Amino acid sequence: MSPLQPAARYCGRCGAALAPGSGRAPPRCLRCGHVSYVDPKIAAGVLVERAGRLLLVRRNHEPALGRWSFPSGYVDAGEVIEAAAAREVQEETGLDVRLTRLLGVYSSAGEQVVFVAYAGEAPAGEARAGDEVSEARWFEPDAIPDLAFPHDPAIVGAWRSGRGISLPVG
């Protein structure tokens, strides 16, 4: 079985046992022939800026419990990715954000999550910790603590360099 395909044991259609996949081929049902694809999960996050400082949150759950990260989370089925990114900032910090540019799309071999990173601005409001974080704090760009995930330095680098795709205003 490929590291890209987690082990599935039973058919989601009829409940019968699945024959394990081989290589990159997904598992197939022994009874009805249904193929059990394991699709990637999309997450979105925002590097929020205000007055030259960056907003980070301390994670209140695994993975990376207690580590600093960008406000982020999973995109719900049928949700527009940009809307999910803004929703996650609001849920985790109480702030409304305006996305300004797409910083990049990040993935790694063997990982199911694809992360879409944006830069954004939160012109008003007090940042507060939501249920999924224990703390929300503004940092000077040169005083950012160690971050939680492997792609985080590249995301900060994209922000610092001004790279990315500008988003339409509004």
Side-chain angles (χ1 to χ4, degrees), residues 63-137:
L65 174 69
R67 304 279 311 271
W68 290 99
S69 188
F70 320 121
S72 60
Y74 290 116
V75 177
D76 294 331
E79 186 175 27
V80 173
I81 296 174
E82 294 85 355
R87 173 182 54 76
E88 288 293 341
V89 172
Q90 216 295 317
E91 288 176 1
E92 293 185 5
T93 70
L95 296 175
D96 292 323
V97 67
R98 181 180 74 80
L99 303 180
T100 57
R101 63 191 156 114
L102 172 66
L103 295 175
V105 178
Y106 300 85
S107 63
S108 297
E111 291 292 325
Q112 189 175 4
V113 176
V114 175
F115 189 76
V116 182
Y118 294 93
E121 300 172 343
E126 188 69 31
R128 57 156 179 74
D131 292 342
E132 295 181 359
V133 301
S134 60
E135 189 176 355
R137 187 189 314 168

Side-chain angles (χ1 to χ4, degrees), residues 33-55:
H34 176 73
V35 176
S36 179
Y37 291 101
V38 179
D39 296 322
K41 184 70 177 153
I42 306 297
V46 184
L47 192 48
V48 181
E49 179 184 2
R50 179 188 288 167
R53 296 185 306 161
L54 300 173
L55 180 64

